[in-house]
């Protein structure tokens, strides 16, 4: 794939692979990075000669001249064009080993050494939410899809092998709708989530335009034809709503606000909850006092509240989610609208608890980890989507007297560098 007519072609041997799935080689005594390559391969790469690209350590793959035995044929025809996946060229065995080794290295850099439990993986066609960008071309064409790797250019797609069939079926009609209601030259993105009773649809144009009948009428027709229960602009301005978007946590139905956080797959959500519940059953079976911090809509709060004689504190910064959880009226759940980054639970609050479950965003929970390290909480279950910040926070907890008893990787984002973790910490 040629990126510019002014390029230099170079033959290299790939020495190793990085945590972002790029092959690493040496050129002029410096490390360079080549996507979609594997250790031991001989490759022909191109380095654009512009000043900007000369300063970059990222080179572009032109040809694999000698293939690794760990290479496989990608299952998506858009792999290397679409930027969604970076590791489809790896065999399943190599892929699993690479991801676990990258995690172990990240942990080690923070002084966290622990055996890893078997990785829990989600299947293809399980992702229930999707974010796609669009561009209404000035010549009239319309593009809806994912960003090209290392680019802001959108790759037009018809289907994705990792999302649920129901979302794939919506791509073509969504493209048709947006082509109709947007003007040439306009851009934006859509977020669509498959929920229990249909779909939540969030349309976010980059330029704000009046929502009048020329938009409301086609959107209403689209929504009624395709089981869209709520459609908003940027998650705030309602365009269409026939009902709440409903999700199900352990048999309890919760109304999902537009743009609320939700685990990307039902299978991944169940895996994370089961790992947390299993840890409690093993290490604190008689616990009754719980906190679910960064609780969102209650992924962990609900199963905690269903335990015998339990009392649960659920805290999160996203007010709409807090309100929906409050609306369920659980007598044993105390819901707090709280910024845990600036106002973490302190030692007095924590020492009233038996178990704390944490599920922070990728930034981790540095301040809350420091408070926990000084507390007497017996069991902390830390669910993380950011291995580097997990390692940082784990080191804080371990310095405070916790032992990392168990660590389980959960691969909710197949064929990407992203990995979720469930860490079980015991206060000795």
């Amino acid at each position: 794939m040629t990126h510019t007519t002014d390029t230099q072609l170079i033959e290299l041997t790939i020495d190793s692979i990085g945590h972002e799935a790029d092959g690493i080689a040496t050129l002029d005594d410096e490390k360079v990075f080549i996507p979609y390559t594997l250790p031991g391969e001989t490759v022909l790469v191109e380095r654009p000669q512009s000043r900007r690209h000369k300063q970059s350590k990222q080179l572009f793959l032109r040809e694999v001249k000698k293939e690794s035995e760990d290479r496989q044929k990608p299952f998506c025809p858009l792999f290397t064009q679409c930027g969604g996946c970076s590791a489809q060229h790896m065999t399943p065995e190599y892929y699993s080993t690479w991801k676990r080794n990258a995690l172990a290295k990240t942990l080690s850099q923070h002084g966290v050494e622990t055996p890893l439990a078997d990785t829990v993986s989600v299947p293809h066609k399980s992702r229930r939410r999707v974010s796609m960008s669009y561009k209404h071309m000035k010549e009239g064409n319309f593009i809806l899809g994912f960003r090209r790797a290392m680019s802001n250019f959108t790759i037009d797609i018809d289907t994705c092998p990792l999302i649920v069939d129901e979302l794939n079926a919506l791509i073509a009609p969504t493209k048709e709708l947006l082509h109709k209601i947007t003007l040439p030259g306009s851009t934006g993105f859509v977020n669509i989530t498959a929920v229990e009773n249909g779909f939540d649809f969030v349309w976010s144009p980059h330029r704000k335009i009046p929502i009048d009948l020329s938009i409301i009428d086609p959107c209403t027709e689209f929504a009624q034809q395709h089981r869209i229960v709520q459609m908003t602009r940027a998650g705030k301005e309602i365009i269409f709503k026939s009902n709440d978007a409903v999700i199900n946590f352990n048999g309890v139905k919760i109304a999902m606000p537009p743009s609320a956080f939700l685990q990307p797959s039902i299978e991944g959500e169940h895996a994370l909850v089961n790992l947390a519940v299993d840890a409690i059953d093993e290490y604190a079976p008689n616990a009754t006092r719980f906190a679910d911090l960064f609780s969102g809509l209650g992924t962990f709060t609900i199963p905690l509240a269903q335990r015998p004689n339990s009392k649960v504190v659920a805290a999160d910064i996203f007010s709409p989610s807090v309100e929906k959880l409050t609306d369920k009226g659980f007598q044993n759940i105390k819901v707090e609208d709280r910024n845990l980054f600036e106002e973490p639970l302190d030692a007095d609050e924590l020492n009233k608890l038996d178990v704390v479950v944490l599920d922070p965003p990728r930034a981790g929970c540095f301040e809350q980890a420091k408070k926990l390290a000084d507390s007497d909480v017996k069991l902390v279950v830390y669910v993380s989507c950011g291995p580097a910040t997990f390692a940082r926070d784990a080191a804080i907890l371990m310095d405070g007297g916790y032992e990392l008893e168990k660590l389980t990787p959960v691969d909710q984002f197949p064929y990407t560098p992203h990995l979720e973790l469930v860490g079980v910490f015991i206060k000795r």
Side-chain angles (χ1 to χ4, degrees), residues 268-387:
E269 175 190 294
H270 289 171
L272 297 174
V273 170
N274 289 340
L275 287 165
V277 169
D278 289 348
I280 296 168
D281 289 342
E282 182 174 355
Y283 298 106
N286 299 317
T288 58
R289 303 172 301 168
F290 302 93
D292 179 12
L293 306 184
F294 308 93
S295 59
L297 286 164
T299 305
F300 299 96
T301 305
I302 299 301
L304 293 176
Q306 292 170 332
R307 298 177 71 87
N309 305 312
S310 65
K311 293 184 178 180
V312 184
V313 175
D316 198 273
I317 193 174
F318 188 61
S319 298
S321 291
V322 170
E323 291 168 5
K324 295 300 183 183
L325 185 54
T326 303
D327 289 346
K328 298 308 295 183
F330 277 84
Q331 295 301 306
N332 63 334
I333 299 177
K334 179 185 177 184
V335 186
E336 295 187 19
D337 187 342
R338 184 163 176 170
N339 183 345
L340 293 166
F341 297 107
E342 297 181 359
E343 189 186 355
L345 269 65
D346 60 27
D348 289 340
E349 294 171 292
L350 291 169
N351 289 339
K352 298 174 184 178
L353 302 169
D354 302 313
V355 177
V356 170
V357 177
L358 300 159
D359 186 14
R362 190 160 282 127
C365 57
F366 181 72
E367 295 299 331
Q368 188 62 76
K370 289 194 294 184
K371 297 293 185 182
L372 275 165
D374 292 333
S375 78
D376 298 325
V377 176
K378 178 182 179 182
L379 173 64
V380 174
V381 180
Y382 191 142
V383 181
S384 169
C385 60

Side-chain angles (χ1 to χ4, degrees), residues 36-51:
Y36 319 122
T37 60
L38 296 170
E41 292 187 329
T42 302
V43 297
L44 189 66
V45 301
E46 59 182 54
R47 178 167 61 179
Q49 295 300 289
S50 68
R51 178 179 298 177

Side-chain angles (χ1 to χ4, degrees), residues 28-79:
D28 299 332
D29 296 324
E30 292 187 323
K31 287 184 177 180
V32 290
F33 302 88
I34 304 98
Y36 319 122
T37 60
L38 296 170
E41 292 187 329
T42 302
V43 297
L44 189 66
V45 301
E46 59 182 54
R47 178 167 61 179
Q49 295 300 289
S50 68
R51 178 179 298 177
R52 177 173 65 89
H53 284 100
K54 273 187 172 182
Q55 294 173 344
S56 173
K57 304 300 182 185
Q58 188 91 55
L59 306 184
F60 301 107
L61 177 65
R62 172 69 70 86
E63 179 187 351
V64 179
K65 304 191 77 170
K66 177 189 172 186
E67 289 191 352
S68 165
E69 62 182 15
D70 297 312
R71 175 175 288 275
Q72 70 171 11
K73 182 179 179 180
F75 52 83
C76 177
L78 293 178
F79 182 64

Side-chain angles (χ1 to χ4, degrees), residues 109-129:
Q109 288 170 343
H110 290 266
V112 178
E113 305 284 349
T114 187
L116 297 178
D118 291 343
T119 301
V120 178
S121 300
V122 302
H124 291 194
K125 293 191 173 183
S126 63
R127 190 175 176 90
R128 61 178 165 181
R129 56 181 172 87

